[in-house]
């Protein structure tokens, strides 16, 4: 797990006609070790760009991001994308997809150590997967679980999740949310989770970060008052409904 400090982050993109579009505006945030943070904001406000900057995929030009005093390119981060079908290699089995980080020359791990880590994860989390099957033989939830395990396998300091369950049906998405919370509780990994579903964002988070429209910045930080472990029955509580309504009204309010 890791502590993250984002300080005065600014990001511009250049359009084809040479104009500059500001996507991130003076974004500052501190995240505690092992915290589960969700981001919620208008479509196109820059949520994915923010995750790409934190992961090191997109270079930082203005401002600073430190993950346990390391820059994003030096920190151990794991990224889980929305489109699980494209993030997995169809020619590799479920097991080989998960163990892929161990096959990279840059990582000095032995495959047998990886298999032992995988077996321990499955046992600890009480999960079953058809490890010898290929991605196309798995359900959507199983494919996304493979992506999550592939990230967990090398013990990242922080996991970044970009709307990972949005392509799943309601029942599978609900099931995967509970699995994710169980994984987070047992692994103690810092998680940053982008969601376009306000109920999901509240249910998962320690703190919910409400974002302004483009260019994005922190509009409001909401500490979630519901105790853990959580069950889906909290959706029926008046307090949950009022918090959800308040968050939506905050997002709709003009900057």
């Amino acid at each position: 797990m890791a502590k993250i400090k984002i300080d005065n982050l600014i990001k511009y993109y250049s359009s084809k006609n040479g104009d500059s579009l500001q996507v991130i505006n003076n974004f500052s945030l501190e995240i505690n070790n092992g915290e589960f943070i969700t981001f919620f904001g208008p479509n196109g406000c820059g949520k994915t760009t923010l995750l790409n900057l934190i992961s090191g995929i997109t270079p930082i030009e203005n401002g600073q991001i430190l993950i346990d005093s390391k820059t994003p390119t030096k920190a151990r981060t794991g990224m889980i994308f929305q489109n699980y079908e494209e993030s997995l290699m169809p020619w590799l089995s479920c097991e080989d997809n998960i163990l892929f980080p161990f096959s990279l020359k840059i990582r000095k791990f032995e495959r047998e150590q990886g298999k032992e880590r995988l077996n321990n994860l499955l046992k600890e989390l009480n999960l079953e997967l058809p490890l010898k099957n290929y991605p196309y033989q798995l359900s959507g939830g199983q494919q996304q679980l493979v992506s999550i395990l592939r990230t967990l396998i090398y013990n990242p300091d922080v996991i970044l999740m970009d709307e990972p369950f949005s392509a799943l049906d309601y029942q599978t998405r609900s099931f995967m949310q509970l699995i994710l919370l169980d994984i987070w509780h047992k692994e103690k990994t810092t998680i940053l989770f982008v969601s376009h579903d306000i109920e999901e964002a509240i249910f998962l988070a320690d703190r919910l970060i409400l974002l302004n429209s483009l260019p994005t910045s922190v509009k409001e930080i909401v500490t979630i008052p519901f105790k853990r472990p959580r069950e889906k029955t909290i959706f029926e509580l008046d307090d949950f409904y009022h918090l959800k309504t308040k968050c939506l009204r905050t997002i709709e309010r003009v900057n």
Side-chain angles (χ1 to χ4, degrees), residues 5-250:
K5 184 176 182 180
I6 305 171
D7 191 29
N8 293 324
L9 194 64
I10 299 173
K11 180 63 181 178
Y12 287 88
Y13 283 126
S14 296
S15 63
K16 293 181 180 179
N17 60 13
D19 294 334
S20 291
L21 174 66
Q22 187 175 10
V23 184
I24 307 289
N25 179 38
N26 291 324
F27 191 101
S28 295
L29 181 66
E30 290 194 20
I31 298 163
N32 299 317
N33 284 326
E35 196 170 12
F36 199 127
I37 295 291
T38 58
F39 296 97
F40 182 82
N43 287 337
C45 74
K47 298 185 291 291
T48 296
T49 297
L50 179 62
L51 286 196
N52 287 342
L53 288 164
I54 297 171
S55 69
I57 293 174
T58 299
I60 299 169
E61 297 160 1
N62 298 282
Q64 186 181 56
I65 299 174
L66 292 176
I67 303 172
D68 280 346
S69 302
K70 294 176 284 188
T71 63
T73 55
K74 297 290 181 64
R76 192 193 294 265
T77 61
M79 188 80 161
I80 298 171
F81 300 95
Q82 177 180 351
N83 195 333
Y84 49 82
E85 292 178 327
E86 293 183 3
S87 69
L88 299 177
M89 289 161 278
W91 60 90
L92 295 180
S93 68
C94 171
E95 180 179 77
D96 288 338
N97 265 285
I98 295 171
L99 296 177
F100 184 74
F102 289 81
S103 68
L104 300 177
K105 292 182 180 180
I106 195 171
R107 304 206 175 278
K108 299 178 181 179
F109 298 125
E110 296 291 337
R111 182 176 174 84
E112 288 307 310
Q113 290 177 310
K115 290 183 71 172
E116 182 179 357
R117 163 77 171 150
L118 173 57
N119 290 332
N120 288 338
L121 277 173
L122 293 174
K123 183 178 180 180
E124 177 187 8
L125 300 170
N126 195 27
L127 295 173
E128 292 185 6
L129 274 175
L131 294 177
K132 300 305 178 183
N133 285 11
Y134 291 89
Y136 73 90
Q137 296 174 298
L138 307 179
S139 67
Q142 287 176 320
Q143 289 183 53
Q144 194 58 291
L145 183 56
V146 169
S147 299
I148 294 171
L149 289 171
R150 183 177 60 189
T151 298
L152 285 173
I153 202 75
Y154 66 97
N155 292 309
D157 298 318
V158 57
I159 296 177
L160 310 169
M161 309 185 76
D162 190 5
E163 299 186 22
F165 305 144
S166 61
L168 302 175
D169 63 77
Y170 177 81
Q171 187 174 2
T172 304
R173 184 168 71 247
S174 180
F175 176 67
M176 289 300 297
Q177 290 163 0
L178 294 173
I179 287 181
L180 177 61
L181 285 179
D182 190 44
I183 290 172
W184 170 74
H185 174 72
K186 292 174 179 176
E187 292 292 304
K188 312 299 183 185
T189 307
T190 305
I191 294 181
L192 308 186
F193 189 106
V194 166
S195 179
H196 72 282
D197 183 326
I198 189 61
E199 290 188 345
E200 175 181 72
I202 293 172
F203 178 70
L204 294 175
D206 289 320
R207 287 189 295 160
L208 167 62
I209 314 302
L210 300 176
L211 303 175
N212 285 308
S213 56
L214 202 70
T216 198
S217 59
V218 176
K219 190 163 195 171
E220 189 171 320
I221 299 176
V222 180
T223 299
I224 305 303
F226 306 110
K227 294 180 180 179
R228 298 186 187 275
R230 295 175 188 161
E231 300 292 339
K232 290 304 181 89
T233 51
I234 70 169
F235 289 2
E236 302 169 9
L237 300 177
D238 288 342
D239 287 347
F240 188 93
Y241 172 79
H242 292 315
L243 179 59
K244 178 179 74 171
T245 302
K246 180 182 177 182
C247 290
L248 290 174
R249 286 176 178 169
T250 299

